[in-house]
Amino acid sequence: MPTRYVESARLPTDWGVFDMHGFEDASDNKEHVVLTMGDVSDGEPVLARVHSECLTGDALFSLRCDCGNQLEAGLKAISEAGRGALFYLRQEGRGIGLLNKIRAYKLQDAGADTVEANEQLGFGADMRDYSILGPMLEHLNIQQVRLMTNNPRKVAALEAAGVNVVERIPVHTDHNPHNEKYLKTKGAKLGHLFND
């Protein structure tokens, strides 16, 4: 099995104390984490967010995307529910990596949208792989999720990976002048849904 569990520890945050579970994907040596709160192994549907790494949005507060806002919204919703799981996958830039993401930003500065920029660099619009979730869900004994996402393709990908998605819950984030084109492209070209 390419993805293996490594260790767990407590992680206090502004949204409460989570348990952090570390996993390693032997196929590419990437390390992923799952933050859980409450009992997620009782067989009941688990409030979940599958979040792909976005260093620029999550840690550097970029206004070019809504990733940091979605991460915070996911942690807040889980905290308010008292139970849930946030899967943090190391798939920067929809799977193209940080340096290629910077190259894509340069193309966007010249007028390309996010999909066009990835394609001009020789990548698909979205290169993320959700099959790595299977071993994580199995280890945590999560059988059903109520998925916080605006991306119906993510729901389809999780279901194809054997995850029972019983509900899609929209994630509401703020729009700003820097991410307006990005969000429009997500809706028009990637099928993201931004309302209930």
Side-chain angles (χ1 to χ4, degrees):
M1 184 180 301
T3 303
R4 68 179 186 91
Y5 167 73
V6 178
E7 190 57 272
S8 298
R10 291 175 62 248
L11 183 71
T13 74
D14 286 341
W15 301 276
V17 178
F18 289 81
D19 291 313
M20 181 170 60
H21 313 275
F23 294 83
E24 182 179 32
D25 185 346
S27 67
D28 59 12
N29 293 319
K30 288 188 178 175
E31 299 166 341
H32 309 278
V33 298
V34 184
L35 301 182
T36 62
M37 181 178 282
D39 182 3
V40 296
S41 64
D42 61 5
E44 293 296 313
V46 173
L47 181 64
R49 165 110 184 119
V50 175
H51 189 88
S52 295
E53 175 184 35
C54 177
L55 177 71
T56 51
D58 298 341
L60 302 177
F61 315 105
S62 170
L63 295 176
R64 293 182 83 128
C65 63
D66 61 343
C67 301
N69 290 336
Q70 288 194 50
L71 176 62
E72 289 186 24
L75 292 170
K76 181 180 178 189
I78 291 168
S79 175
E80 288 173 352
R83 178 177 176 273
L86 186 133
F87 296 79
Y88 195 88
L89 307 181
R90 306 294 299 280
Q91 302 189 116
E92 182 77 46
R94 292 196 190 112
I96 68 172
L98 180 59
L99 298 182
N100 282 321
K101 180 180 179 178
I102 295 170
R103 291 180 180 104
Y105 277 174
K106 180 73 172 178
L107 293 170
Q108 291 167 41
D109 290 342
D113 65 32
T114 56
V115 169
E116 292 164 348
N118 277 20
E119 291 172 345
Q120 287 175 28
L121 291 171
F123 299 106
D126 193 336
M127 304 289 292
R128 292 175 290 185
D129 176 10
Y130 298 108
S131 63
I132 56 178
L133 289 169
M136 298 176 176
L137 291 156
E138 184 177 339
H139 177 81
L140 296 168
N141 197 31
I142 296 175
Q143 299 161 8
Q144 306 178 83
V145 298
R146 298 171 52 235
L147 188 64
M148 292 181 278
T149 186
N150 297 328
N151 185 353
R153 291 182 183 192
K154 190 179 289 185
V155 173
L158 294 185
E159 289 175 340
V163 179
N164 184 10
V165 180
V166 299
E167 180 184 5
R168 183 189 71 83
I169 300 169
V171 181
H172 301 287
T173 59
D174 294 331
H175 296 211
N176 68 67
H178 304 284
N179 71 13
E180 185 176 347
K181 184 176 180 181
Y182 166 83
L183 294 173
K184 285 181 179 175
T185 301
K186 282 172 74 171
K189 293 190 175 181
L190 298 173
H192 287 222
L193 306 171
F194 293 105
N195 54 45
D196 298 348

